[in-house]
Amino acid sequence: MANKGLGRGFASLMGMNDIDELTQPTAKSVEIEKTVAPTSQDSVVQIALIDIDPNYEQPRKNFDETALNELAESIKIHGVIQPIVVTPIGKRFMIIAGERRFRASKIAGKTEIPAIIRNYTSQQIKEISLIENLQREDLSPIEEAMAIRTLMTEFNMTQEAVADRIGKSRSAVANTLRLLTLSNDVISLVEHGRLSAGHARTLVVIPKESQYKLALKGCDNQMTVREMEKMVRDFLSPKPEKQKPSIEDSKELISLVGNMKRAFATKVSAIGNGNKGRIYIDYFTSDDLDRISTLVEEWMSDKFRKEEE
């Protein structure tokens, strides 16, 4: 995909086969770019894949298998064109940038990968990993929200500072963070791709205990975001139910309903008056229905028997 302007160094480091759309640079994001981008003094060395470990604080936890296999096929033919960046950890190396190329190289059956070795502090490693992934915009909505929260809590950044660093508006950062206020069940739906971030954000104003039930109605593209917004509005401001018509003053009808309640041992209601209306007999289980049916049949049998006599 085309680079949107983070700088030649950063773009070449990530590689054309391992890059998603990047955001426009800001003054602070360029500082990260300069920190991670290769310089003329950097030398590329071949490192055995078995000596390299992923960055376990990498905010992106899920990698698209189809995209990885496609990259692996490219690596089989052309090799790894752009080196990954690693830092020494004891006798091993940890990935700073290029985990997709690392994973795809394994799939391609490679034993070594070109790499640039850099020394970073643990603080630098975490900040670079977070900002690099946020700038590339290939995290899931929940991963992105968690990465932003980590930048704010561990690096004492405000929403404005994070927005400036990753090239997004403060409102976009605030909206992303709101996803973390959802119930765990709803967050899981977003993580598994069943509910979009747009759908999920509509549920933030709903009490947590009611969010999942509403989320299920909108997940798997069952409704648009606008339809879900309307559902949320209706939930928060339900329209008053129309009052059901009641029995008009009719002593005979009231007495009949009372007798039927006792006879059928269930809820009986009626609407109308002594001349016209409806009577409702409720049943709540299949056993209820069988019992009422038996009572009606017995009454009918008894009625026919008396008529024959």
Side-chain angles (χ1 to χ4, degrees):
M1 293 184 181
N3 183 357
K4 289 188 178 179
L6 272 182
R8 293 180 182 175
F10 195 85
S12 65
L13 172 64
M14 302 323 317
M16 293 305 291
N17 287 327
D18 189 28
I19 192 165
D20 288 313
E21 292 186 355
L22 305 177
T23 57
Q24 292 289 346
T26 63
K28 290 182 179 179
S29 68
V30 170
E31 292 174 12
I32 295 296
E33 177 190 335
K34 289 178 180 177
T35 303
V36 74
T39 68
S40 58
Q41 284 88 27
D42 283 322
S43 58
V44 179
V45 296
Q46 293 289 331
I47 300 179
L49 291 174
I50 60 173
D51 293 332
I52 301 173
D53 297 313
N55 178 359
Y56 295 107
E57 293 188 348
Q58 138 93 273
R60 181 174 49 175
K61 305 302 180 187
N62 300 305
F63 291 80
D64 185 273
E65 291 297 326
T66 301
L68 276 178
N69 288 325
E70 289 173 354
L71 181 56
E73 289 301 314
S74 175
I75 288 173
K76 286 179 183 179
I77 299 169
H78 304 291
V80 178
I81 297 173
Q82 296 296 336
I84 66 173
V85 177
V86 298
T87 193
I89 304 290
K91 294 183 178 181
R92 298 184 63 76
F93 300 93
M94 186 171 71
I95 299 171
I96 303 302
E99 186 169 340
R100 284 187 71 241
R101 277 163 281 161
F102 169 76
R103 288 175 177 245
S105 294
K106 281 187 169 182
I107 296 172
K110 300 291 183 181
T111 58
E112 294 183 329
I113 192 169
I116 294 169
I117 301 173
R118 290 283 193 81
N119 290 299
Y120 294 110
T121 65
S122 58
Q123 183 90 347
Q124 286 176 317
I125 291 169
K126 192 161 191 177
E127 187 175 3
I128 289 169
S129 296
L130 287 166
I131 294 177
E132 177 224 335
N133 277 280
L134 285 168
Q135 285 176 333
R136 292 177 61 197
E137 298 185 331
D138 60 352
L139 299 179
S140 73
I142 300 301
E143 288 172 338
E144 183 179 357
M146 294 178 70
I148 289 172
R149 185 174 64 183
T150 300
L151 283 174
M152 293 178 65
T153 56
E154 296 193 18
F155 297 91
N156 297 316
M157 292 186 186
T158 62
Q159 288 186 10
E160 290 81 359
V162 173
D164 183 45
R165 188 68 65 91
I166 65 176
K168 292 188 176 182
S169 66
R170 191 206 64 78
S171 61
V173 169
N175 278 333
T176 300
L177 283 171
R178 293 176 75 195
L179 295 174
L180 298 182
T181 66
L182 293 164
S183 69
N184 291 335
D185 288 336
V186 177
I187 287 175
S188 179
L189 290 175
V190 179
E191 286 179 319
H192 288 86
R194 296 190 61 196
L195 192 70
S196 76
H199 286 82
R201 273 193 290 269
T202 67
L203 300 171
V204 170
V205 295
I206 299 290
K208 281 190 175 182
E209 61 271 17
S210 302
Q211 289 175 357
Y212 185 64
K213 183 178 179 180
L214 294 181
L216 289 177
K217 295 181 179 180
C219 68
D220 301 324
N221 298 314
Q222 293 183 80
M223 62 175 65
T224 66
V225 174
R226 284 193 177 183
E227 288 170 338
M228 198 151 183
E229 286 173 345
K230 182 180 183 303
M231 180 179 68
V232 169
R233 286 196 300 271
D234 291 343
F235 177 86
L236 294 174
S237 302
K239 294 178 181 177
E241 290 186 12
K242 292 181 180 178
Q243 270 196 331
K244 292 181 179 179
S246 58
I247 302 174
E248 295 181 14
D249 291 337
S250 170
K251 291 181 180 178
E252 293 81 3
L253 186 56
I254 293 172
S255 176
L256 173 61
V257 168
N259 290 335
M260 291 180 71
K261 285 181 180 178
R262 288 187 290 274
F264 292 122
T266 189
K267 181 180 177 182
V268 178
S269 56
I271 59 172
N273 52 42
N275 296 318
K276 185 178 181 180
R278 290 193 181 99
I279 295 175
Y280 299 91
I281 302 172
D282 291 2
Y283 61 92
F284 303 96
T285 65
S286 59
D287 289 340
D288 259 358
L289 182 59
D290 289 341
R291 180 177 54 78
I292 293 169
S293 176
T294 300
L295 287 170
V296 172
E297 288 173 0
E298 288 176 352
W299 177 81
M300 293 294 291
S301 297
D302 186 57
K303 180 176 181 296
F304 289 143
R305 191 184 68 253
K306 287 181 178 179
E307 287 179 351
E308 288 174 355
E309 290 175 354

